[in-house]
Amino acid sequence: MAAEHKPKPLPFIANFAAGAIAGISEILTFYPLDVVKTRMQLERGQAQFGLVGTFRNIVKEEGVGRLYRGLVPPLLLEAPKRAVKFAANDFWGRTYMDLSGEKKMTQNLSVLTGCSAGATESFVVVPFELVKIKLQDKTSTYKGPMDVVKQVIRKDGLLGLYAGMESTFWRHVYWNGGYFGCIHQVKALLPKPETPQGELLNNFISGSIGGFAGTLVNTPFDVVKSRIQGAEKIPGVVPKYNWTYPAIVTIAREEGVAALYKGFVPKVLRLAPGGGVLLLVVEFTLGVFRKALGPPYI
């Protein structure tokens, strides 16, 4: 019996390019939901407007263009973030498989790999997230991304760009753990695809469910991150929100547990289908690269 043909893995640059293309596609498609999410998370006390109300108010009071304010930092971040994400996933995946003696990725190893890769990625994204949050805030008076960077460094030094580092760390750990763990399990439950279209559909379904699971577990940490990064520091005054878990307790005590899920609806509307779009575009782009490069990659 002839040995089963396995195509040669694509070079790193192909995987990196596919991830970058997918990430930029997702950002351009769903970014307005991210602005709405941030506005809802920065709102203190009882929520006054839901998703639709917040969206309507932004357009009515500030114009449609405001829905894309702060877009530059995530676009600039996408390439280095994808490079780190792919490298970290590959490194931690191989490391945990070697340590455990497993020959292929299991669900537990997938969760562990996702959490570790998310923790690694968080170190890269914090300054970009900080700039984005400060531009998205309704009260923002910054002229643009570089103005945010200059003013933060002038007031707080270079380390000021890493405000919210700890909460970003936890946000990425929980999201990646939920996302990758769920994808692995969902793919195992879905019927085995017999066509490329079936494979794309399975990727979209598993990615969407994984995005929902990741969003469900990490939203409280995202709320805290937005509060920390959106606050303007006052000399001599201790920030109300500083460390992640005490901030979670403070928000729950003062505003109720539901406040920890402010912005959940726009966040899940973005990240659930967004996770599906990411996998869909990645797999489609990798397929294009395989056909372009030909054997032995097919």
Side-chain angles (χ1 to χ4, degrees):
M1 183 181 291
E4 182 182 356
H5 171 69
K6 289 187 177 181
K8 182 180 178 180
L10 285 165
F12 171 79
I13 188 63
N15 286 288
F16 168 69
I21 292 170
I24 290 172
S25 300
E26 189 272 338
I27 290 170
L28 293 174
T29 304
F30 296 103
Y31 187 77
L33 286 171
D34 190 66
V35 175
V36 172
K37 176 213 74 171
T38 300
R39 292 291 183 87
M40 295 174 72
Q41 290 180 339
L42 291 177
E43 186 181 10
R44 307 292 176 89
Q46 186 70 30
Q48 297 180 6
F49 308 103
L51 166 64
V52 176
T54 303
F55 188 92
R56 186 189 297 119
N57 286 342
I58 292 173
V59 174
K60 181 180 178 181
E61 298 175 7
E62 306 167 54
V64 175
R66 196 74 174 192
L67 292 170
Y68 283 90
R69 183 168 168 81
L71 177 64
V72 173
L75 287 178
L76 291 177
L77 170 65
E78 197 56 36
K81 184 175 80 170
R82 292 296 156 190
V84 171
K85 196 179 189 77
F86 275 104
N89 267 315
D90 181 64
F91 171 78
W92 291 114
R94 285 188 288 103
T95 299
Y96 291 136
M97 286 174 67
D98 289 344
L99 290 174
S100 65
E102 295 284 352
K103 298 299 181 184
K104 65 177 185 177
M105 186 63 66
T106 64
Q107 184 182 359
N108 288 337
L109 289 181
S110 181
V111 172
L112 192 56
T113 298
C115 288
S116 301
T120 306
E121 181 187 355
S122 67
F123 288 95
V124 177
V125 308
V126 176
F128 295 89
E129 283 285 321
L130 178 85
V131 173
K132 183 194 76 171
I133 293 294
K134 289 192 177 297
L135 288 172
Q136 289 179 340
D137 190 353
K138 184 176 182 178
T139 61
S140 174
T141 58
Y142 295 103
K143 298 175 183 177
M146 290 310 299
D147 187 40
V148 177
V149 173
K150 289 176 184 177
Q151 291 199 40
V152 169
I153 292 177
R154 186 170 67 247
K155 293 177 183 177
D156 307 314
L158 282 172
L159 288 179
L161 293 172
Y162 278 85
M165 175 69 227
E166 185 220 3
S167 52
T168 304
F169 172 88
W170 290 118
R171 184 187 76 157
H172 281 256
V173 166
Y174 280 99
W175 195 86
N176 279 268
Y179 180 69
F180 287 106
C182 197
I183 281 179
H184 193 277
Q185 188 171 6
V186 171
K187 278 189 172 182
L189 295 174
L190 291 171
K192 189 173 181 180
E194 299 179 357
T195 64
Q197 291 77 14
E199 180 72 26
L200 288 175
L201 178 61
N202 277 11
N203 285 330
F204 182 80
I205 292 172
S206 59
S208 295
I209 296 174
F212 178 84
T215 303
L216 188 65
V217 296
N218 93 327
T219 296
F221 302 95
D222 194 41
V223 171
V224 171
K225 183 192 78 70
S226 294
R227 296 283 180 95
I228 292 173
Q229 293 183 327
E232 294 295 335
K233 291 185 178 179
I234 302 173
V237 178
V238 178
K240 183 174 184 177
Y241 307 109
N242 205 341
W243 297 100
T244 304
Y245 288 97
I248 287 176
V249 173
T250 298
I251 293 172
R253 184 178 65 246
E254 294 182 354
E255 304 174 45
V257 175
L260 294 171
Y261 280 86
K262 283 184 175 181
F264 176 77
V265 174
K267 185 176 169 69
V268 81
L269 284 177
R270 178 190 178 186
L271 293 180
V277 168
L278 280 173
L279 272 181
L280 197 67
V281 177
V282 164
E283 294 300 325
F284 175 80
T285 308
L286 290 177
V288 171
F289 286 154
R290 289 188 184 280
K291 289 181 180 179
L293 293 172
Y297 299 105
I298 298 179

